[in-house]
Amino acid sequence: MNFSRCPDIDDVIVYDSPWLKATAPRKNSDPEYAIINLLRERDFDAAVIFTVYSQNPLPTAFLCYMAGIPLTLAHCHENPYQLLTHWIKDPEPEQFIRHEVQHQLDLVASVGSTIADQRLKLCIPDTAKLRIQSLLAEIGIHQQPWVVIHPGASAISRRYPSESFAIVTEKLVRDYDIQVVFTGTESEIELVEFIRGKMRSHSFVNRLNLGELSALIDAAPLLISNNTAPVHIAAAVGTPVVDIYALTNPQHTPWQVPNRVIFHDVPCRICYKSICPEGHHHCLRLVKPETVVSAVLELLSPDTSMSVSNYQLPITSR
């Protein structure tokens, strides 16, 4: 993505922190000294540390402290003492759970920063839009109903079964004459080809960069996806979403966009696990394909109320 096209973003500094599981093993702490020096050189006035309630902001706060940033703001469960100049004690999850966007909006509101338009925003390069227009023209998608399906997810616990996705696709294509375009990464080629089978559909898997994926979702009438990044891209560009939602955590449903959040309620909800600890994946496996298809048809219907909602999953003490 070209962030220079986004008026709200001046610059992006990429840093792979050792306290995140996706970061490769460190040989030494040189990257930490480098980021501290860079932050010090940039002479920032303030740092706002955005973390989900299950993450500790103090490692990042320590980097900002070492860089001499005078104001540091974050939610934190424990007393940070001097590591944060503005500490907002996090009430989650003991008292309640908010949508993650609301969580962060409340954080900056604590220092007087509010915004009237709380929708997500995503700037899409014109080159990406042109590329998608060309690809859609190649496969013959015009005005007739069509949807994007993104069947993958990094965590196994968030993947709706491929067999169920295949049934959903078959019903949409054969019963309702809805064209389907699949997206995914290189590692998901086999998954998508299994779902497609011999059905008439289209695959852009491993053919799009992030900007082009965003442009495709922006152009689509509807996205069907597991709860993963494309859902939030759709929310940012205003595309309706059918979100097949694993109950691993409750705060990442589509934000302020027409949506249907589909799941099967289970007593083991809010497990925060990448692999189902019960081994049954019932919160997804027990979702009937017919339920997904009905949600798709409802959101595609011109008679459907497209009011925006921020869906809240059922949360109970465990």
Side-chain angles (χ1 to χ4, degrees):
M1 292 291 287
N2 186 348
F3 287 102
S4 65
R5 296 178 180 269
C6 297
D8 298 326
I9 300 176
D10 295 316
D11 197 5
V12 175
I13 299 172
V14 178
Y15 163 68
D16 293 325
S17 60
W19 53 88
L20 296 179
K21 66 179 181 180
T23 301
R26 286 276 199 270
K27 293 182 179 179
N28 53 52
S29 58
D30 287 350
E32 282 60 64
Y33 284 104
I35 192 65
I36 289 170
N37 290 334
L38 177 58
L39 295 176
R40 184 180 293 275
E41 290 170 1
R42 299 291 290 269
D43 194 26
F44 291 107
D45 296 314
V48 181
I49 303 169
F50 295 118
T51 53
V52 301
Y53 70 72
S54 59
Q55 293 175 325
N56 192 322
L58 295 185
T60 302
F62 183 70
L63 293 183
C64 296
Y65 173 80
M66 294 295 291
I69 298 176
L71 186 154
T72 49
L73 168 68
H75 280 116
C76 191
H77 290 110
E78 59 191 288
N79 192 332
Y81 297 100
Q82 298 181 54
L83 288 184
L84 290 174
T85 63
H86 292 66
W87 168 37
I88 306 302
K89 187 171 178 60
D90 201 338
E92 300 184 48
E94 287 79 10
Q95 298 180 28
F96 53 79
I97 297 177
R98 294 164 284 188
H99 192 284
E100 191 57 41
V101 175
Q102 192 63 58
H103 184 243
Q104 309 305 349
L105 288 173
D106 291 346
L107 176 64
V108 296
S110 70
V111 292
S113 295
T114 59
I115 187 169
D117 184 358
Q118 296 184 348
R119 291 174 298 178
L120 301 180
K121 295 180 181 178
L122 182 62
C123 301
I124 303 173
D126 291 338
T127 53
K129 293 180 180 180
L130 292 173
R131 161 87 166 145
I132 291 305
Q133 290 174 8
S134 176
L135 288 176
L136 292 177
E138 285 180 14
I139 62 177
I141 287 185
H142 301 292
Q143 298 300 317
Q144 69 185 80
W146 65 283
V147 298
V148 170
I149 296 182
H150 189 89
S154 58
I156 297 174
S157 60
R158 288 189 280 115
R159 299 175 193 164
Y160 189 49
S162 55
E163 297 85 357
S164 298
F165 259 126
I167 296 172
V168 169
T169 304
E170 181 178 15
K171 287 182 175 295
L172 293 177
V173 172
R174 295 181 180 174
D175 296 350
Y176 299 99
D177 197 28
I178 295 174
Q179 293 195 76
V180 173
V181 177
F182 284 94
T183 58
T185 62
E186 182 178 9
S187 64
E188 292 159 346
I189 292 176
E190 185 176 346
L191 166 68
V192 169
E193 290 308 305
F194 172 84
I195 295 171
R196 293 179 68 198
K198 296 181 180 180
M199 286 179 288
R200 174 173 47 86
S201 61
H202 309 280
S203 175
F204 289 167
V205 176
N206 198 36
R207 297 181 62 187
L208 309 177
N209 59 33
L210 181 58
E212 292 163 349
L213 174 63
S214 302
L216 175 66
I217 294 173
D218 181 39
L222 179 75
L223 170 71
I224 308 167
S225 177
N226 297 313
N227 192 51
T228 188
V231 165
H232 309 300
I233 292 175
V237 300
T239 297
V241 186
V242 173
D243 188 351
I244 310 174
Y245 201 98
L247 296 182
T248 55
N249 58 296
Q251 67 269 49
H252 297 148
T253 53
W255 176 258
Q256 293 197 352
V257 68
N259 67 81
R260 297 295 181 269
V261 176
I262 299 175
F263 58 90
H264 180 84
D265 199 11
V266 289
C268 53
R269 71 177 74 87
I270 315 179
C271 67
Y272 290 99
K273 301 296 184 181
S274 297
I275 299 175
C276 176
E278 301 296 327
H280 52 51
H281 298 269
H282 279 177
C283 61
L284 291 182
R285 287 191 176 277
L286 295 184
V287 171
K288 296 180 179 179
E290 293 79 8
T291 302
V292 178
V293 172
S294 294
V296 171
L297 298 177
E298 185 178 356
L299 284 177
L300 286 177
S301 171
D303 299 326
T304 299
S305 171
M306 297 298 279
S307 60
V308 173
S309 63
N310 293 320
Y311 191 92
Q312 294 296 314
L313 292 176
I315 299 170
T316 59
S317 58
R318 296 166 51 218

